[in-house]
C-alpha cells in the first residue's frame, strides 16, 4: 500500500504495523507474558545501601549503631534498625536446555519442551529487564546488559539456534559468572542426578545462587499410553518395544518421582530452588513462581 500521501497519523500506524509483523512471534508472546506477570508481582526488593527505605528489623549483634531507628525502637521493647532497598543491578545468568530431547511433545496441540523453555527464558529476561537487572542468556553472543533493547536479539538467537546434538543437556561446569550472580537452569532435567549435582556444585562454587526449572510434557508425567508401544530415543539411545505399557507404568512413575526427589535434594543442599512446570499449563504460572523465588518471596 502506498502511504506517501496519507495523513501523518496513518503513516505512523502503518509503520507500527509493519514493525510488529517483523517481530519474532516468540518475542511477542514473551513480552505479553512478562507484562501479565508484572501486573501481579512485586518488584525485586533486596537489602543494601540504596536510599529507598524497605523495612524495619530487629537489631542483631554486629549492626552499626547509626542504623538504629530510635523512633521505631521507642515504640517497642526491642531495638530496630532500618533496611534500605539495594539499588544495584545484578546479573541473572539464564541457561536453557538445547539438546534434542527437548524437541518433543505428546500431542500436536502442545508446545514442545524446547519451545516452552525458550518462551520462559525470554519472558523471564523481559521481566528482569523491566526491573533494571542485567541479563545474560548462556551461549548467546549478546553481552550481559540491562537494556531492554537486547530483547529482539535474544529472541533472534533463541529461534535461530540449532539443537546441540552432542551436548549432555546440562550447562558447562567451566562457565565464568560475575560475583553474586543468580543462575536459572531451564530444561527437562532428566540427566543423571550425579551430572546435575556436578553442574550445580560448579556454579555454586563460583558464588552463584540458583534456580532449577524442570519442564516436562504431560505424557512424560503420566505415561498415558496403553498396549504395545515402541519408544524411540531422541539422543541416540535407540528404540525400546514395550509389549504392555500398563505393566511398566508404576515402575516408570516411581523412577520419575525418584528423579524429582533427587532434584529437590540437590537444590536444597545448594540453597537453590526447584520449580516444576508442565507444557499443558500456562507459562505465566511457572514464571510467577520463578519471579517470586528470584525476589526472595517464594
Amino acid at each position: 500500500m502506498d502511504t506517501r500521501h496519507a495523513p501523518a497519523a496513518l503513516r505512523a500506524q502503518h509503520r507500527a504495523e509493519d514493525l510488529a509483523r517483523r517481530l519474532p512471534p516468540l518475542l511477542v508472546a514473551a513480552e505479553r507474558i512478562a507484562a501479565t506477570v508484572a501486573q501481579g508481582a512485586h518488584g525485586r526488593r533486596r537489602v543494601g545501601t540504596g536510599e529507598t527505605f524497605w523495612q524495619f528489623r530487629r537489631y542483631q549483634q554486629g549492626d552499626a549503631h547509626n542504623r538504629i531507628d530510635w523512633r521505631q525502637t521507642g515504640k517497642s521493647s526491642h531495638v530496630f534498625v532500618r533496611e534500605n532497598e539495594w539499588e544495584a543491578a545484578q546479573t541473572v545468568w539464564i541457561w536453557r536446555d538445547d539438546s534434542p530431547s527437548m524437541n518433543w511433545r505428546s500431542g500436536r496441540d502442545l508446545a514442545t519442551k524446547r519451545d516452552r523453555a525458550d518462551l520462559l527464558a525470554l519472558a523471564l529476561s523481559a521481566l528482569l529487564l523491566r526491573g533494571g537487572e542485567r541479563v545474560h542468556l548462556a551461549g548467546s553472543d549478546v553481552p550481559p546488559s540491562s537494556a531492554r533493547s537486547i530483547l529482539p536479539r535474544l529472541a533472534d538467537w533463541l529461534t535461530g539456534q540449532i539443537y546441540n546434538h552432542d551436548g549432555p543437556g546440562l550447562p558447562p561446569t567451566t562457565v565464568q559468572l560475575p560475583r553474586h550472580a543468580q543462575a536459572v537452569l531451564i530444561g527437562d532435567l532428566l540427566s543423571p542426578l550425579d551430572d546435575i549435582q556436578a553442574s550445580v556444585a560448579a556454579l555454586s562454587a563460583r558464588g552463584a545462587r540458583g534456580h532449577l526449572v524442570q519442564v516436562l510434557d504431560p505424557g512424560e508425567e503420566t505415561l498415558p499410553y496403553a498396549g504395545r508401544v515402541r519408544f524411540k530415543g531422541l539422543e541416540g539411545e535407540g528404540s525400546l518395544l514395550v509389549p504392555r505399557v500398563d505393566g511398566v507404568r508404576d515402575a516408570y512413575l516411581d523412577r520419575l518421582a525418584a528423579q524429582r526427589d533427587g532434584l529437590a535434594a540437590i537444590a536444597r543442599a545448594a540453597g537453590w530452588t526447584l520449580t516444576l512446570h508442565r507444557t499443558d499449563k500456562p507459562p505465566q504460572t511457572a514464571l510467577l513462581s520463578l519471579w517470586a523465588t528470584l525476589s526472595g518471596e517464594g
Side-chain angles (χ1 to χ4, degrees):
M1 178 179 179
D2 187 357
T3 60
R4 287 176 297 178
H5 303 293
L10 184 59
R11 292 199 302 271
Q13 177 183 340
H14 286 303
R15 283 198 300 270
E17 292 173 350
D18 183 57
L19 288 173
R21 282 193 295 269
R22 297 179 189 177
L23 287 176
L26 175 63
L27 178 59
V28 175
E31 285 275 35
R32 182 175 64 250
I33 292 169
T36 301
V37 171
Q39 292 175 2
H42 299 291
R44 296 185 64 201
R45 306 180 69 187
R46 292 156 290 161
V47 61
T49 58
E51 298 180 355
T52 305
F53 170 71
W54 179 19
Q55 66 179 3
F56 293 113
R57 67 163 173 80
R58 296 269 292 272
Y59 175 85
Q60 299 174 358
Q61 186 175 0
D63 286 335
H65 290 174
N66 61 3
R67 295 182 59 195
I68 296 176
D69 189 284
W70 295 109
R71 176 174 297 180
Q72 185 68 19
T73 298
K75 301 176 182 178
S76 170
S77 59
H78 302 289
V79 179
F80 288 90
V81 299
R82 293 175 63 90
E83 287 191 330
N84 294 336
E85 184 177 346
W86 185 27
E87 296 175 347
Q90 69 172 338
T91 299
V92 180
W93 184 82
I94 304 172
W95 172 90
R96 64 96 177 91
D97 188 352
D98 64 347
S99 59
S101 67
M102 294 291 289
N103 190 33
W104 185 79
R105 58 184 178 180
S106 61
R108 292 185 177 181
D109 58 336
L110 295 171
T112 66
K113 294 185 290 181
R114 163 79 179 258
D115 288 341
R116 181 54 56 88
D118 284 353
L119 181 57
L120 289 175
L122 192 61
L124 178 61
S125 298
L127 198 54
L128 289 165
L129 292 171
R130 284 171 177 259
E133 302 290 359
R134 287 165 55 86
V135 170
H136 180 60
L137 285 188
S140 76
D141 57 357
V142 183
S145 175
S146 58
R148 294 191 63 187
S149 58
I150 68 171
L151 274 175
R153 295 174 60 193
L154 296 180
D156 287 340
W157 179 78
L158 284 169
T159 54
Q161 191 183 21
I162 62 174
Y163 297 110
N164 182 5
H165 292 282
D166 300 321
L170 289 171
T173 57
T174 56
V175 66
Q176 298 297 320
L177 297 180
R179 291 184 60 189
H180 309 303
Q182 292 203 60
V184 180
L185 277 53
I186 306 173
D188 58 20
L189 301 180
L190 295 176
S191 299
L193 290 172
D194 288 344
D195 294 344
I196 297 174
Q197 196 278 331
S199 292
V200 170
L203 293 170
S204 297
R206 291 169 173 78
R209 293 181 296 126
H211 314 275
L212 301 175
V213 183
Q214 186 183 51
V215 178
L216 292 183
D217 183 276
E220 291 174 311
E221 274 208 334
T222 61
L223 200 66
Y225 312 107
R228 190 169 181 261
V229 178
R230 182 180 295 276
F231 295 92
K232 183 179 179 180
L234 298 176
E235 299 185 7
E237 304 94 339
S239 61
L240 174 66
L241 179 63
V242 179
R244 193 167 63 87
V245 173
D246 310 66
V248 302
R249 182 174 291 111
D250 289 345
Y252 171 85
L253 295 178
D254 288 344
R255 182 70 178 271
L256 179 60
Q259 180 76 7
R260 284 184 161 173
D261 288 344
L263 291 175
I266 290 170
R268 187 164 54 247
W272 287 31
T273 66
L274 172 63
T275 298
L276 305 177
H277 179 62
R278 268 175 40 166
T279 56
D280 60 338
K281 303 297 182 184
Q284 292 92 328
T285 305
L287 188 60
L288 186 57
S289 175
L290 183 57
W291 181 252
T293 61
L294 284 164
S295 304
E297 299 173 2

